[in-house]
Structure formats: C-alpha cells, structure tokens
C-alpha cells in the first residue's frame, strides 16, 4: 500500500470512544492520531496504548491544526451533501476527522476539508465504530486483496509480489 493516513476527532467528550478509535487506528496501521480541541488520556479501551506507539498530536483548536504537506483533510460527517463512503476514492495521503459524539464537525472545520464523506446508514453510528468503518473501507480499497468470488465463500489470498534479481548497468556497455 502506498501513502499514509491519520485519524482524529474534534471536540470529543467520551474518553472510551477516543480510546477505542485510537486502538482501531493502531490495528489498521494509521501513521498518526490526533485531536482538535479535545483532551486525550489513556483509558481501558485503548489496550494497545496507541498514542505511545504511533505519533499523537493534540491541537488546541483549528488554528493550531497542522498536517503534512499534500495530506488531504477528509471530514466524516452525516450530511446530505457529503460523498457516500462506498463511492469515495480515498486520497493517497489523508487525515480523517470525526466530530463529537453529540454533535457535528464545526462549520469552520468542514470548510477546511478537502472532502466530506458520510457512511450510508439510517442514522449516526458510534464515533469509534464510524472511524473503524472508514479505516476498513480504506484498507479494502487501497490494499492488495483478491477480488471477491461470485459465489459465497472466501478467495485465496494473493501471493506476495515477486521481484527478479537486481540489474546492474555498467558505463560503456
């Protein structure tokens, strides 16, 4: 897989949700996790201590938010005008941002997003579940997996790529 991703939240209020999100981010191979206007303290839901194993950035507010160059900011928000996740092509480099549990991403933050995406559910799902769904979708769409078979059941995993011997070129030949 090429590229990288990070995932974070704006103004979260439940530490267990944040711990579960960070644990999932660690499991899905996130390059970093972050908060905007929220505090993080390790809790029982983060059994992998993600913030000690991958970079964790704590931004006081939107003005303090800094992302790597060419990293797309993708807001995850339950909005009518948002792209639907199954039809969304994930950027090679992305930072996914979820809003607080009992609210939405701030309008100012939405205006800063390169993309806004929604999960096609009847109503909002738990914040940590939403983050896990987005990371799983990224893994499926950008990873190296065999096509799903037409009949029920699983496909065999793809073999690892095979590379030939190194080619050495000499000047004058």
């Amino acid at each position: 897989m090429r590229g990288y991703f990070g995932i974070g939240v704006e103004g979260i209020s439940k530490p267990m949700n944040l711990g579960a999100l960070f644990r999932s981010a660690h499991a899905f191979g996130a390059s970093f996790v972050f908060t905007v206007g929220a505090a993080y303290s390790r809790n029982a839901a983060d059994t992998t201590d993600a913030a000690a194993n991958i970079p964790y950035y704590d931004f006081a507010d939107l003005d303090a938010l800094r992302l790597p160059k060419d990293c797309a900011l993708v807001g995850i928000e339950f909005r009518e005008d948002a792209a639907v996740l199954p039809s969304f092509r994930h950027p090679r480099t992305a930072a996914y941002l979820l809003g607080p549990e009992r609210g939405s991403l701030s309008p100012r933050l939405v205006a800063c997003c390169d993309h806004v995406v929604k999960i096609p559910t009847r109503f909002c799902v738990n914040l940590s579940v939403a983050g896990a769904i987005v990371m799983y979708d990224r893994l499926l769409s950008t990873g190296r997996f065999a096509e799903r078979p037409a009949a029920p059941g699983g496909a065999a995993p793809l073999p690892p790529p095979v590379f030939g011997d190194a080619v050495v070129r000499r000047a004058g030949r």
Side-chain angles (χ1 to χ4, degrees):
M1 233 183 330
R2 291 184 179 200
Y4 62 83
F5 78 94
I7 191 161
V9 297
E10 177 191 30
I12 193 160
S13 62
K14 296 181 180 177
M16 291 297 279
N17 278 336
L18 188 58
L21 177 69
F22 282 7
R23 182 182 189 280
S24 295
H26 191 195
F28 280 110
S31 298
F32 60 96
V33 293
F34 64 101
T35 56
V36 177
Y40 172 70
S41 60
R42 187 179 184 283
N43 62 56
D46 183 8
T47 57
T48 66
D49 198 10
N53 290 290
I54 57 177
Y56 163 60
Y57 301 98
D58 177 23
F59 302 107
D61 53 33
L62 177 58
D63 293 328
L65 178 63
R66 298 290 179 267
L67 295 174
K69 184 177 188 230
D70 298 326
C71 181
L73 183 59
V74 181
I76 308 302
E77 188 64 56
F78 198 71
R79 296 170 52 115
E80 286 298 317
D81 62 341
V84 182
L85 184 61
S87 301
F88 178 68
R89 182 169 305 276
H90 294 266
R92 188 176 55 81
T93 58
Y96 300 96
L97 184 61
L98 297 105
E101 295 94 337
R102 292 188 178 112
S104 301
L105 290 172
S106 65
R108 194 166 157 239
L109 210 145
V110 170
C112 293
C113 289
D114 297 292
H115 309 280
V116 178
V117 177
K118 69 179 172 184
I119 299 167
T121 55
R122 286 193 238 161
F123 46 84
C124 294
V125 295
N126 175 278
L127 177 130
S128 62
V129 171
I133 290 169
V134 169
M135 290 183 283
Y136 182 71
D137 187 77
R138 180 182 175 89
L139 178 72
L140 282 181
S141 65
T142 62
R144 189 173 175 271
F145 299 98
E147 290 291 319
R148 292 182 192 255
L158 292 175
V162 178
F163 301 98
D165 293 332
V167 175
V168 178
R169 299 181 194 268
R170 294 190 178 113
R173 288 191 179 201

